[in-house]
Amino acid sequence: MNAAPESKVTLEDLSILTTRYRVDPSKPFQLKDYNPADDAGLGLTKPEGKALLKQAKKRLSDLQELLYANSGASMLIVLQGMDAAGKDGTIKHVMSGVNPAGVSVTSFKQPGPQELMHGFLWRIHISAPSSGRIVIFNRSQYEDVLVTRVHPELLEREHLPGEVGTPAFWQGRFDDIRHFEHYLSRQGTVVLKFFLNISKDEQRRRLLSRLDVKDKRWKFSSSDVRERQFWDHYQTAYEEAITHTARDYAPWFVIPANHKWFARLTIIETIIGALEDLKQKPPVIEPGLMKSLDAYKDELSKEVG
């Protein structure tokens, strides 16, 4: 087996990824300003990127362990993107090295009858992370300003009072999402939101690859074809949602995702940077407990194996 390639780029060099794709809420935002194939000028190859990702996983594991041990903060990771953008693969490859006891994934599908009887943030709030945990939303509260924006007829099922689908209605939903995320932030939750930005041509290639391999056709649904017809509508909906909800307490990152390995590397570095900003330290053990543990260690050492 060949050894992993040595890259001139180090993990320290990747620190630029934590801010390069962060949306600045003080400036106008347009998706066309973000290149889905960007590589941050690092010149990394796919094998080099995978090797760096492996190293980064160890750092993420250490930081997540501290978060879980201290239970003083939590993290919410929101993943959004068009069909075939790579959300499932990102979760699998980025979080594969962390302790599953402290991490969970919630995938939000189309709301059912009970969920539709509540406000759109109800199912979101009950899935938010408790202290010490990382929760990943595979799709999220943003479906209610994306899918319903492109298909406003879905609002008819939501038992809503008054006029829906108006500019004031959508502004209200953006306000609700911002207030919810601000509330989470004030409760000690680090909120990170990632839009996996792929080109329309790259989506076409990925959808074709699912059809080419019969064993992978289970990943394909008829909605993939139907929703692709609304590509431009979704791009507009994403632009508006990100514009209205990108805030310092809940930043958006537009991740170039035409190359899956680069998207994963960028996301893991961004998560690591946010966890490092917490400046966590190992929990302090009280002297009395430490003394009793030392005594227990001596006792175990004297046992005959």
Side-chain angles (χ1 to χ4, degrees), residues 79-200:
L79 291 180
Q80 290 286 157
M82 299 293 287
D83 292 325
K87 296 181 292 296
D88 291 337
T90 295
I91 295 169
K92 176 182 176 181
H93 289 274
V94 170
M95 308 305 293
S96 60
V98 299
N99 182 355
V103 179
S104 59
V105 179
T106 301
S107 297
F108 290 99
K109 306 297 183 182
Q110 194 173 87
Q114 182 185 23
E115 293 165 325
L116 289 169
M117 295 296 290
H118 295 271
F120 78 98
L121 287 174
W122 175 73
R123 63 175 182 164
I124 305 297
H125 198 166
I126 61 177
S127 299
S130 56
S131 294
R133 297 185 59 83
I134 296 176
V135 169
I136 303 165
F137 284 175
N138 186 349
R139 300 188 187 275
S140 65
Q141 60 269 27
Y142 287 93
E143 294 299 286
D144 290 282
V145 289
L146 294 169
V147 177
T148 52
R149 193 78 187 270
V150 175
H151 302 288
E153 66 276 9
L154 294 175
L155 294 171
E156 297 174 5
R157 308 176 306 156
E158 295 191 21
H159 308 281
L160 296 167
E163 194 174 2
V164 300
T166 64
F169 173 84
W170 294 118
Q171 185 60 57
R173 285 210 162 175
F174 294 139
D175 291 346
D176 290 340
I177 289 173
R178 283 200 316 275
H179 295 157
F180 171 66
E181 292 173 351
H182 194 200
Y183 166 77
L184 290 181
S185 175
R186 288 186 289 109
Q187 298 302 308
T189 299
V190 178
V191 182
L192 302 176
K193 301 175 295 189
F194 298 99
F195 173 61
L196 297 179
N197 186 29
I198 60 172
S199 65
K200 193 174 183 179

Side-chain angles (χ1 to χ4, degrees), residues 230-244:
F230 296 94
W231 178 275
D232 291 340
H233 296 78
Y234 274 108
Q235 298 298 294
T236 299
Y238 267 112
E239 281 189 355
E240 289 207 23
I242 292 172
T243 295
H244 284 283

Side-chain angles (χ1 to χ4, degrees), residues 6 85 142 178 195 225 239 255 259-260 298 302:
E6 289 191 12
Y142 287 93
R178 283 200 316 275
F195 173 61
V225 174
E239 281 189 355
I255 305 298
H259 303 293
K260 295 177 181 179
D298 291 339
K302 294 174 183 177

